[in-house]
Amino acid sequence: MLRVDNLTKSYGGVKVTRGVSLDFPTGSITAMIGPNGAGKTTFFNLISGHVRPDAGRIVFDDQDIVGLSSLEIVRRGMARAFQVATLFPSLTVREALAAAVISHRGHSWQVLSRFPLQSARARVDELLDLMGLISAADTLSSILSHGDQKLLDIGLALAMNPKMLLLDEPTAGMGPDERWRMIEKVRSLWEKQRITVLFIEHDMDIVFKIAQTIHVLKYGAVLAQGTPDEIRGNDEVIEAYLGTDQRLSEAVGEV
Amino acid sequence: MNLEALAACLTSASCAVTQISTALIVGTLLFLVAAGLSLIFGVLGVINFAHGSFYMLGAYFAFTAYKLTGSFIVALVAGSLGAGIFGVLFERLIISRVYGRDLLMQLLVCYALTLILDDGVKLVYGAEYRMMGMPAAFAVAPVQIAGAFVPGYYLFMVGIAVATGLLLWLAINRTLLGKTIRALAINPQMVGVLGVNTAALYAGVFGVGSLLAGMAGALAAPIRTLTPGIGFSFLIESFIVTVIGGMGSIAGAFLAALLIGFIRAFGAIGFPWFVEGLMFAIMALVLVVKPTGLLGREAA
Amino acid sequence: MRSRLRRDIVVGLILFFVLFFLPTLFPKPALRDFLIYVIAYGLLAMSLNLLIGLTGLVAFGHAAFFASGAYTFALLMQSGRTSIPLAMLAAIVGTTVLALVIGAICVRLKNIYFSFITLAFQMFLHSVILTWVSMTGGDQGLQGGIPRPVFFGIDLNNARTLYSFCVVTFVLCLAIMRQVSESPFGYTLRMIRDNPERANFLGVNVVRMKLGVFVLSGAMASVGGIVLALFVSGAYPEFGFWTTSGEAIFMLMLGGTQLFLGPLAGALLLEALNHYITIYTEYHGMVLGVVILVIVLGLRRGIADSLFAYVTRRRRGRRIDDVKRPILQPTKNEPA
């Protein structure tokens, strides 16, 4: 679905992404991990068209997308949820989802009918159900709980019917129970909707349980990639990121 | 449009000098007002739509002080300080409550002050024209340059404005206080955490900004008639100057003010109704090509 | 959702009947005149709110389209070759084109730079009006009045007929603006107001949408100009001066930007204030200034918005207006 070749980006002399080459097969669920500042969010910005790479190729769904605007990339099927949920404060959950669906279907310019469009209603209900937001449907986005905000964030991305979903720290800022619920939701979405998922995470338990493949970034370059078992046993990764605490390894092994 | 008259003036040395001197004094007055505006915006992030009122206050205070004491120096000081004090009061009592609120609220609050002050002045001084007249110290024979007569007072004005501009630039770029103020513009929370009294600094900067406008008003008092509402035209033009020169840049304000001064002076001969049009056209051009202005920085 | 449309229609009809029959109940010509001013400036303010309140585009130069509508209409009528409906249509279309040209340049800039460049264009237009004396009469305005030939049996020389015509035009424009505001387009604009970057990530072409609403609001503003020109039988450069834009912004803030009819309430309030204050004192600026300070520092938002928030809070806690709607980032900003 997505292939990245030798992606490079510098900001004023600092190389934040160095020659990253990665492959994301269709229908896979991949995690990207690494210490802070490793360039994970920059990677997201590069592939979603928010930032232009200095060099390298990005092929999404068999199309070269370097140089395309983020708008065009979204239209081609890549959707994104953010580390800090950025929403529309004055719209309710239902309204925000409806607006997103309407935008996806190209009806944003409609002036002759009333919002929300009858045709969008079914899809909105579907999304509400999918994300578990039915009870919060008529709440203003700005007063949602943190967890619900992140769910809405993902819901908005899903409204785009994406082929690939980018999730930037979906469990950030949540307590342990909420985390598992969230990541379970992500996993069931992945299974049911059959989309390619790439998520950034810091919670290793979650990463090892859910991801099929893990890519490890450090200082902008790929340190290692592989299945959870491979990564767990990789010395370099342990040294750079995971730590050599025996208890951590055991706990992770148990899960 | 009278472009032949313009051409004729440009080729005549005496006419050219006269117009240049007009351009310079308009430019210096504008510079002082715009510098204050730019400072306030650069540090406080407030677009002070009431700035013209401080110009007006400076003129009226200078007028009163001169009538009372007969001394121009006292008048100049009174005008500047008076406006500065009003500025500090306005900042503490009203502006500080709208920091961080949206632009329209700030606009409204400043406009409200302008309305109140304009009528306040009308109440105290009456709506008729007042003239301060040239102070005795400057009632000397005008200087002759290239066949044109340039009043000595003009030279004095330009001198004061340039000196003030330099002083301001030095203060901001070469002193510790200036550095603190620049830091304040970039990250006020951090400066506050470092133990600096940010509220006092804010008030101080606003006071200096309005003082500059008041100084311009005081300097203009001998050569212009005083009526409530003289602040308005200066307000709009100082915005043009700030946009063209760059918000937050003193040097930019200087250049842009001179430019506008020249357009006013020569435009009055060549295209009197279109002077504003030209100024706004340049402003639009700058906004499209380099929105931060000729010498402006990217938003701090 | 159906009920919203029904409710809007009811409100619209009530507004229409009240405006239409008010002069019949109180037959003072002064009232009629007052209401026509409210209609003209109300259209200016309501159209501006499509930009400010709905999309978050703070335009300082909106009066340009008010003036353009007035002058175009007046000039066409003075030429003696068109009927009133045709001249109106032409003026609206002409202003739409103007708004398209100006908007295409302005809409690419953000925040305060957008505000200033709209002002620059407006004042430039104002200068053109002042300079082109042969066409516009310069600073004196258009002389000679505007003929009002009968059309479709309607004689606008009759004051009552003129008033009714203005009311009908007004309510029609309000209906159009309401429909746009409640349409998918309107909600997409709200998305842009709240979070343009995210809207972009959801496939919205932000620049094009901004241009669209800019053009529409320009067209609506021109209708206000036409009404005023028709009524005062002339057109004056003040229509395009920055103080007119300023008054419109006033009305928005006084009345409130989040409730649809807020700006109209603001227009009514400001016109009433202007009218009554000048009767009682010559220091009307001071009174107005104090009123503004009270509203801004005390209420913190427009009057209609405050009333609405108060009423809603007493009912249920869910759809409160206390949400901070970022109309404009308050401090320094980057350009486009």
Side-chain angles (χ1 to χ4, degrees):
Chain A
M1 173 65 44
L2 177 72
R3 202 180 69 247
V4 164
D5 270 328
N6 204 23
L7 202 59
T8 313
K9 177 74 186 170
S10 315
Y11 280 114
V14 178
K15 268 213 169 123
V16 291
T17 307
R18 310 169 201 228
V20 169
S21 298
L22 292 171
D23 193 25
F24 302 90
T26 311
S28 62
I29 178 164
T30 315
M32 185 172 276
I33 66 174
N36 277 323
K40 307 187 293 292
T41 303
T42 310
F43 183 74
F44 269 28
N45 285 338
L46 285 166
I47 57 178
S48 61
H50 203 57
V51 161
R52 219 193 144 132
D54 296 332
R57 280 181 81 215
I58 308 174
V59 179
F60 176 62
D61 203 20
D62 292 324
Q63 286 167 330
D64 229 311
I65 58 171
V66 174
L68 291 182
S69 68
S70 51
L71 189 65
E72 287 164 339
I73 295 180
V74 164
R75 295 234 179 97
R76 273 161 222 257
M78 190 187 297
R80 185 174 167 180
F82 296 79
Q83 197 168 342
V84 178
T86 55
L87 305 170
F88 306 106
S90 68
L91 299 180
T92 63
V93 171
R94 197 187 289 273
E95 287 169 350
L97 287 172
V101 168
I102 284 171
S103 166
H104 173 66
R105 295 190 181 171
H107 294 316
S108 302
W109 285 92
Q110 260 275 29
V111 283
L112 293 176
S113 18
R114 287 268 168 144
F115 177 91
L117 291 178
Q118 196 59 27
S119 54
R121 238 169 267 234
R123 177 71 175 139
V124 170
D125 286 335
E126 204 185 304
L127 284 167
L128 284 171
D129 189 34
L130 210 60
M131 303 311 299
L133 287 171
I134 295 186
S135 56
D138 290 309
T139 322
L140 278 179
S141 308
S142 54
I143 56 182
L144 285 175
S145 69
H146 179 71
D148 281 350
Q149 283 189 347
K150 301 219 67 156
L151 285 171
L152 177 58
D153 204 22
I154 298 178
L156 287 173
L158 283 178
M160 299 286 103
N161 266 354
K163 298 175 184 151
M164 179 162 184
L165 186 61
L166 306 176
L167 300 174
D168 198 338
E169 297 194 43
T171 67
M174 293 183 185
D177 285 338
E178 223 185 342
R179 272 198 183 183
W180 280 106
R181 279 203 299 266
M182 170 63 92
I183 210 66
E184 240 327 289
K185 173 138 267 127
V186 171
R187 202 180 60 80
S188 76
L189 276 172
W190 165 70
E191 271 181 345
K192 274 195 273 179
Q193 307 286 309
R194 315 207 142 275
I195 16 179
T196 314
V197 175
L198 168 61
F199 66 99
I200 295 177
E201 241 319 318
H202 281 299
D203 185 332
M204 287 303 118
D205 298 350
I206 286 176
V207 170
F208 287 130
K209 182 94 199 287
I210 305 289
Q212 286 174 331
T213 319
I214 302 177
H215 296 309
V216 186
L217 282 189
K218 186 182 171 186
Y219 294 141
V222 177
L223 186 60
Q225 39 184 310
T227 66
D229 284 326
E230 289 168 3
I231 296 297
R232 215 179 288 150
N234 183 316
D235 288 327
E236 282 184 335
V237 175
I238 291 175
E239 192 196 313
Y241 189 52
L242 294 178
T244 51
D245 190 313
Q246 272 293 83
R247 273 178 285 148
L248 175 63
S249 313
E250 282 172 337
V252 159
E254 263 168 10
V255 168
Chain B
M1 291 238 224
N2 200 348
L3 294 171
E4 304 86 38
L6 180 61
C9 184
L10 284 171
T11 46
S12 147
S14 65
C15 180
V17 168
T18 313
Q19 294 311 113
I20 289 177
S21 60
T22 310
L24 282 177
I25 57 157
V26 170
T28 50
L29 288 178
L30 259 183
F31 163 63
L32 287 173
V33 175
L37 194 66
S38 218
L39 189 67
I40 291 176
F41 179 76
V43 178
L44 278 63
V46 170
I47 299 188
N48 185 14
F49 286 95
H51 210 58
S53 302
F54 296 114
Y55 170 86
M56 177 187 71
L57 282 180
Y60 273 96
F61 286 157
F63 169 79
T64 309
Y66 185 70
K67 286 291 173 232
L68 286 176
T69 66
S71 157
F72 179 68
I73 296 290
V74 171
L76 185 59
V77 170
S80 315
L81 272 184
I85 292 174
F86 258 77
V88 170
L89 285 175
F90 180 54
E91 194 273 339
R92 282 288 92 202
L93 294 176
I94 297 177
I95 291 281
S96 50
R97 287 179 213 226
V98 290
Y99 282 139
R101 292 251 296 261
D102 64 68
L103 175 78
L104 285 180
M105 289 296 173
Q106 294 175 2
L107 189 168
L108 270 187
V109 153
C110 292
Y111 191 60
L113 182 78
T114 309
L115 286 173
I116 295 175
L117 284 178
D118 274 7
D119 268 3
V121 160
K122 210 161 79 170
L123 203 66
V124 172
Y125 292 91
E128 324 84 53
Y129 288 63
R130 296 299 186 110
M131 303 252 347
M132 178 166 145
M134 191 63 66
F138 294 101
V140 296
V143 174
Q144 235 210 8
I145 304 180
F149 291 98
V150 179
Y153 185 66
Y154 283 17
L155 300 172
F156 171 70
M157 277 175 74
V158 176
I160 292 262
V162 171
T164 311
L166 276 173
L167 215 73
L168 197 61
W169 188 87
L170 280 172
I172 289 181
N173 290 302
R174 296 267 186 271
T175 66
L176 182 60
L177 182 64
K179 244 189 224 164
T180 316
I181 290 177
R182 275 183 292 147
L184 193 65
I186 299 174
N187 193 340
Q189 283 98 347
M190 207 52 190
V191 173
V193 161
L194 291 173
V196 176
N197 187 343
T198 50
L201 271 184
Y202 278 150
V205 169
F206 201 93
V208 168
S210 35
L211 185 145
L212 289 169
M215 185 188 289
L219 283 174
I223 54 175
R224 304 231 156 156
T225 50
L226 270 57
T227 62
I230 45 175
F232 260 155
S233 76
F234 259 97
L235 179 69
I236 286 289
E237 283 178 32
S238 58
F239 274 118
I240 300 179
V241 166
T242 328
V243 169
I244 294 179
M247 302 258 205
S249 163
I250 305 287
F254 188 71
L255 283 176
L258 280 179
L259 177 67
I260 297 294
F262 273 89
I263 292 180
R264 269 240 166 262
F266 287 98
I269 300 184
F271 39 89
W273 288 122
F274 204 66
V275 167
E276 297 218 327
L278 183 60
M279 293 194 284
F280 280 105
I282 297 180
M283 177 168 144
L285 196 66
V286 167
L287 280 168
V288 170
V289 170
K290 187 173 191 280
T292 44
L294 291 175
L295 295 182
R297 288 154 285 212
E298 294 297 321
Chain C
M1 296 304 140
R2 294 254 106 174
S3 64
R4 265 205 232 169
L5 180 61
R6 212 176 299 146
R7 190 190 62 191
D8 286 351
I9 294 180
V10 168
V11 171
L13 283 174
I14 292 178
L15 188 65
F16 174 73
F17 282 115
V18 165
L19 278 176
F20 197 83
F21 288 112
L22 212 56
T24 321
L25 290 172
F26 305 97
K28 284 184 0 177
L31 176 67
R32 245 191 351 240
D33 296 351
F34 174 74
L35 286 175
I36 293 195
Y37 270 104
V38 171
I39 286 177
Y41 284 104
L43 277 172
L44 178 63
M46 299 282 309
S47 67
L48 182 59
N49 202 32
L50 288 176
L51 291 178
I52 295 184
L54 192 62
T55 318
L57 284 171
V58 180
F60 283 169
H62 208 55
F65 309 116
F66 192 68
S68 131
Y71 271 92
T72 315
F73 174 74
L75 285 170
L76 283 172
M77 289 313 296
Q78 281 190 340
S79 74
R81 288 190 231 138
T82 47
S83 63
I84 288 185
L86 216 60
M88 283 182 75
L89 194 62
I92 297 176
V93 169
T95 306
T96 306
V97 172
L98 182 70
L100 192 64
V101 169
I102 292 180
I105 302 175
C106 295
V107 142
R108 285 161 209 288
L109 295 174
K110 285 193 207 151
N111 298 314
I112 192 66
Y113 303 102
F114 169 78
S115 308
F116 273 133
I117 198 171
T118 56
L119 180 66
F121 273 111
Q122 182 205 306
M123 292 306 291
F124 183 77
L125 188 69
H126 178 257
S127 275
V128 168
I129 292 176
L130 282 181
T131 317
W132 204 350
V133 183
S134 57
M135 179 79 132
T136 63
D139 68 325
Q140 301 295 318
L142 277 180
Q143 307 297 313
I146 297 181
R148 299 182 194 149
V150 178
F151 64 97
F152 304 139
I154 304 175
D155 181 13
L156 293 185
N157 292 295
N158 174 318
R160 185 68 175 93
T161 319
L162 176 64
Y163 175 76
S164 309
F165 179 71
C166 291
V167 169
V168 170
T169 311
F170 181 55
V171 175
L172 267 173
C173 288
L174 281 188
I176 293 175
M177 288 194 271
R178 178 63 172 173
Q179 174 54 36
V180 168
S181 170
E182 290 296 305
S183 67
F185 181 60
Y187 275 82
T188 313
L189 292 176
R190 286 177 179 80
M191 276 210 286
I192 293 176
R193 173 192 67 198
D194 286 356
N195 196 337
E197 287 82 25
R198 193 67 207 270
N200 195 304
F201 271 113
L202 291 175
V204 173
N205 190 329
V206 173
V207 170
R208 238 184 254 167
M209 295 237 132
K210 283 183 178 178
L211 183 58
V213 70
F214 191 86
V215 168
L216 176 68
S217 78
M220 290 285 111
S222 75
V223 180
I226 293 172
V227 164
L228 196 58
L230 197 52
F231 176 64
V232 304
S233 206
Y236 302 93
E238 291 75 38
F239 290 2
F241 199 51
W242 63 270
T243 46
T244 306
S245 292
E247 285 216 345
I249 291 183
F250 254 161
M251 295 173 187
L252 279 185
M253 301 313 281
L254 275 182
T257 57
Q258 294 312 312
L259 215 53
F260 180 69
L261 287 177
L264 182 61
L268 188 63
L269 194 64
L270 191 63
E271 288 296 316
L273 270 175
N274 277 335
H275 183 77
Y276 281 107
I277 296 176
T278 39
I279 293 182
Y280 290 113
T281 165
E282 57 178 297
Y283 298 113
H284 101 286
M286 194 179 286
V287 177
L288 192 58
V290 171
V291 168
I292 292 170
L293 281 180
V294 164
I295 290 182
V296 172
L297 297 177
L299 287 179
R300 304 183 130 242
R301 68 186 120 196
I303 288 187
D305 281 357
S306 300
L307 277 175
F308 180 70
Y310 176 70
V311 166
T312 329
R313 212 174 301 150
R314 300 193 85 213
R315 284 211 229 122
R316 271 183 285 180
R318 272 200 309 192
R319 291 200 59 130
I320 307 179
D321 237 11
D322 285 325
V323 172
K324 270 209 175 61
R325 292 173 211 283
I327 291 184
L328 192 74
Q329 299 309 309
T331 51
K332 304 145 267 185
N333 296 284
E334 320 93 57

